[in-house]
Amino acid sequence: MPSTPTRLSYEARILVVPLGASGDDLVQTMAAGGPTNVRIVADAGQSAASVRDIRAAVGSEVTETVADLAASADMMILLGSDLTQLPSAFVATLAKAARANGVLLAGVLVDQQNWESARGAYALTVLRRELDMLVSVRDVGLATAFIDVLKGGRRKPEADLATTEASAATASSEESTRKGAS
């Protein structure tokens, strides 16, 4: 009987889309001590996007089509604070690609601002129409934790994981040796 591989955990492929300058600021704060294996996406025009890892330097982006990005993701999270900065056309493009590929599209608004202005009210209408989920939190720490939960939890870097596993194996071997000597 063939054995089926068992997956002990799952790490979702996350794209974070900063919504204007407020979103860029939130991403910088998150990157300082936040999630790993998260890609940051920005509008590059004409259904294209620039993409980089959250911990990579600005300027290290590569350009991909929005359709290809959606096909390679499990979820897209739009992140911002100032609703007047919402790039409505880009949000609609992302939403169309996400729906075509079965990708969860979420919005996280951190200490949302300018929602009562005409432009902010329009931005909320766009978000409600295009997103599967819209969350509002008080600070960037809560947004970071939310993204970590959606991603499947925070992971130890591979080097730390190998060291931890080696230490556990050594401890187990030493315990067996002690028991055999008694």
Side-chain angles (χ1 to χ4, degrees):
M1 178 178 196
S3 75
T4 304
T6 303
R7 192 167 193 182
L8 298 176
S9 67
Y10 178 78
E11 185 171 3
R13 298 166 300 177
I14 303 277
L15 301 174
V16 172
V17 182
L19 301 175
S22 68
D24 289 334
D25 292 344
L26 292 168
V27 165
Q28 286 179 348
T29 302
M30 280 182 165
T36 58
N37 299 326
V38 171
R39 297 187 312 156
I40 306 303
V41 176
D43 187 2
Q46 306 208 5
S47 295
S50 60
V51 186
R52 67 176 173 85
D53 184 78
I54 192 166
R55 296 186 184 260
V58 173
S60 64
E61 298 87 358
V62 296
T63 302
E64 295 185 36
T65 67
V66 171
D68 286 345
L69 279 174
S72 70
D74 294 312
M75 62 188 75
M76 294 182 195
I77 301 171
L78 284 61
L79 178 69
S81 180
D82 187 342
L83 289 168
T84 61
Q85 298 173 352
L86 183 84
S88 301
F90 189 52
V91 169
T93 300
L94 290 171
K96 181 179 177 183
R99 281 190 292 276
N101 287 283
V103 174
L104 174 71
L105 192 58
V108 179
L109 299 176
V110 179
D111 189 26
Q112 63 186 341
Q113 301 165 13
N114 298 321
W115 57 272
E116 69 283 347
S117 70
R119 185 163 164 84
Y122 174 74
L124 273 176
T125 301
V126 168
L127 292 174
R128 287 184 181 130
R129 179 184 67 228
E130 302 293 358
L131 301 179
D132 299 313
M133 172 185 356
L134 182 59
V135 177
S136 179
V137 296
R138 287 186 304 270
D139 62 56
V140 71
L142 293 171
T144 302
F146 180 73
I147 290 171
D148 274 339
V149 166
L150 289 177
K151 189 175 66 162
R154 197 167 283 214
R155 302 290 195 274
K156 289 184 177 184
E158 293 296 325
D160 290 350
L161 187 57
T163 302
T164 302
E165 289 172 354
S167 297
T170 302
S172 177
S173 175
E174 289 172 357
E175 180 67 25
S176 295
T177 304
R178 273 185 269 142
K179 285 182 180 178
S182 2

